[in-house]
Amino acid sequence: MANEAEERMTKTSTQQEQQHRWEPPKPGMIKINTDAAISNQSVRTGKGIIPRNWTGKLMKAKGIMERKKGTAMEEEALAVRAALVMAKAAGWMKIEVQSDCKSVVNQINASSVHDISIATVLEDIEELKEEFEECNFSFVYRTGNTCSHTLAQNAIKLVHDIEWNKEFQVWLMDIARKDMRAVAPFCN
């Protein structure tokens, strides 16, 4: 009995530690980190989408800017939906979408809506995930989601959306490396 309790505590501790840093997906999968940012002062929202493969290599990066007043829950859900749209367009069939918005992740995973303001977006996500061979959603603390968070913050200042496919800005690669600090010394 004591060994089982110790194993559960160790497993819980390991899971919590993993939620605090970026971890690579299993081989063959693409992990897509998402985040949203809101500027009430400039009435803008920004979203950051960062897909990486199992080696940590950046596959794409996208910053989305909109001139609107959004809520945190809505913008986080929209970022997840945008990640699914990106993955579908890229032809990726095995994905894990990771967000630092625990409520949105929980609602997606439970297939139930607690916040009616995002019901339509969650329905879209439910339909889109059926397009993939494997599609998982997970939570990570902001400390493990720095790259997409920084991109979302920068997206607020954009005039139009921006996307990188093969070559990435040095600052973005530096932040991606920092996200991976305990996983790999270098990506790309």
Side-chain angles (χ1 to χ4, degrees):
M1 264 325 215
N3 285 344
E4 286 180 28
E6 283 179 25
E7 282 181 34
R8 275 195 305 271
M9 286 177 58
T10 302
K11 186 176 180 181
T12 301
S13 175
T14 302
Q15 287 172 337
Q16 288 174 344
E17 183 181 306
Q18 288 173 341
Q19 290 176 343
H20 283 280
R21 64 174 200 242
W22 188 87
E23 292 283 332
K26 64 185 182 183
M29 288 195 76
I30 303 293
K31 181 180 278 187
I32 309 169
N33 286 81
T34 66
D35 202 10
I38 299 170
S39 171
N40 291 325
Q41 185 177 18
S42 61
V43 190
R44 289 175 177 232
T45 64
K47 293 170 199 66
I49 304 169
I50 304 287
R52 289 177 261 198
N53 69 12
W54 58 98
T55 67
K57 180 182 177 191
L58 288 171
M59 304 300 289
K60 288 179 171 272
K62 186 170 187 173
I64 302 169
M65 183 284 296
E66 293 183 90
R67 288 181 176 90
K68 69 176 189 175
K69 196 171 198 170
T71 66
M73 189 81 66
E74 178 185 21
E75 296 306 313
E76 295 283 356
L78 287 168
V80 169
R81 182 176 71 183
L84 291 173
V85 170
M86 173 192 277
K88 183 180 172 186
W92 301 325
M93 294 307 295
K94 295 181 180 185
I95 62 168
E96 177 182 351
V97 180
Q98 197 167 56
S99 170
D100 60 14
C101 186
K102 195 171 204 169
S103 178
V104 167
V105 171
N106 288 344
Q107 289 179 73
I108 292 168
N109 285 331
S111 295
S112 66
V113 179
H114 304 305
D115 186 333
I116 197 71
S117 69
I118 63 169
T120 303
V121 179
L122 292 177
E123 287 174 13
D124 291 348
I125 291 168
E126 192 69 31
E127 283 183 32
L128 282 164
K129 75 180 187 182
E130 297 303 318
E131 305 271 336
F132 300 94
E133 192 177 310
E134 190 172 341
C135 182
N136 304 309
F137 300 89
S138 63
F139 166 76
V140 66
Y141 286 98
R142 170 106 13 106
T143 54
N145 205 34
T146 308
C147 198
S148 62
H149 173 73
T150 304
L151 185 52
Q153 293 284 345
N154 285 325
I156 289 173
K157 303 168 195 159
L158 296 173
V159 176
H160 52 81
D161 297 351
I162 190 161
E163 187 169 350
W164 297 280
N165 291 307
K166 295 195 187 300
E167 295 188 20
F168 304 94
Q169 299 290 309
V170 172
W171 63 267
L172 190 63
M173 290 175 52
D174 286 344
I175 295 168
R177 283 186 202 105
K178 287 176 187 168
D179 263 358
M180 295 174 51
R181 68 188 167 276
V183 179
F186 186 78
C187 67
N188 286 21

